[in-house]
Amino acid sequence: MQKERDTRPVVLVAEPQALPGMWLEDVLTDAGCAVSGPYGTCMEASETLDEAPPDFAVISTDLNRGPGFPLACALRRQGIPFALIAGNASVPRAFSDVPTFDRLFDARDVVAAVTARCPARVDRRACPMAARIAAGEDVALDQCPPACRS
């Protein structure tokens, strides 16, 4: 018997807090999405990108062991759309084109962001900072996303 292919959009969730992460998982599953995560760190989420790239991601800017912006840069380099949960955190201008949510947001808003961006995946682009990122060097997060879009 052949297994039927899952055609639901996959949404990666990077949220360090258990209850908000489970809530997002429930909201997205109820909206017809498959969920990857929730992941508590950039490293955990990033490790899944090559093997199973999502169609969309929802990223907290405040993850365990550091901010979520390196994950956002990795997603942008791969052409994967995403939204940020920023709360009171400052979001670099480079991410001004990304949907940003406060810590308290309506489920309908996140579902709308996902459904508006999942159908059209953009092409992967070469990142001029990829070697620095791979070497673990510091990168200027304000400069990385515009460079990846050019």
Side-chain angles (χ1 to χ4, degrees), residues 12-59:
L12 181 144
V13 173
E15 168 57 55
Q17 297 178 37
L19 290 177
M22 290 186 301
W23 177 78
L24 275 168
E25 186 175 14
D26 288 344
V27 164
L28 294 165
T29 301
D30 290 347
C33 299
V35 175
S36 173
Y39 301 101
T41 68
C42 264
M43 181 69 79
E44 291 170 340
S46 295
E47 288 174 349
T48 69
L49 295 181
D50 288 332
E51 187 174 317
D55 296 298
F56 191 84
V58 179
I59 309 165

Side-chain angles (χ1 to χ4, degrees), residues 72-80 82 94-95 97-98 145 148-149:
C73 287
L75 291 165
R76 180 153 285 164
R77 283 190 308 277
Q78 291 192 22
I80 299 169
F82 58 92
F95 295 111
D97 63 323
V98 175
C148 294
R149 283 185 286 203

Side-chain angles (χ1 to χ4, degrees), residues 47-121:
E47 288 174 349
T48 69
L49 295 181
D50 288 332
E51 187 174 317
D55 296 298
F56 191 84
V58 179
I59 309 165
S60 173
T61 59
D62 185 26
L63 295 173
N64 293 331
R65 296 188 219 129
F69 298 119
L71 175 60
C73 287
L75 291 165
R76 180 153 285 164
R77 283 190 308 277
Q78 291 192 22
I80 299 169
F82 58 92
L84 297 170
I85 302 170
N88 294 330
S90 178
V91 175
R93 284 190 330 249
F95 295 111
S96 63
D97 63 323
V98 175
T100 304
F101 301 108
D102 196 358
R103 261 289 160 201
L104 300 174
F105 57 91
D106 192 297
R108 293 173 292 196
D109 294 335
V110 75
V111 170
V114 171
T115 56
R117 288 164 181 84
C118 273
R121 290 187 67 158

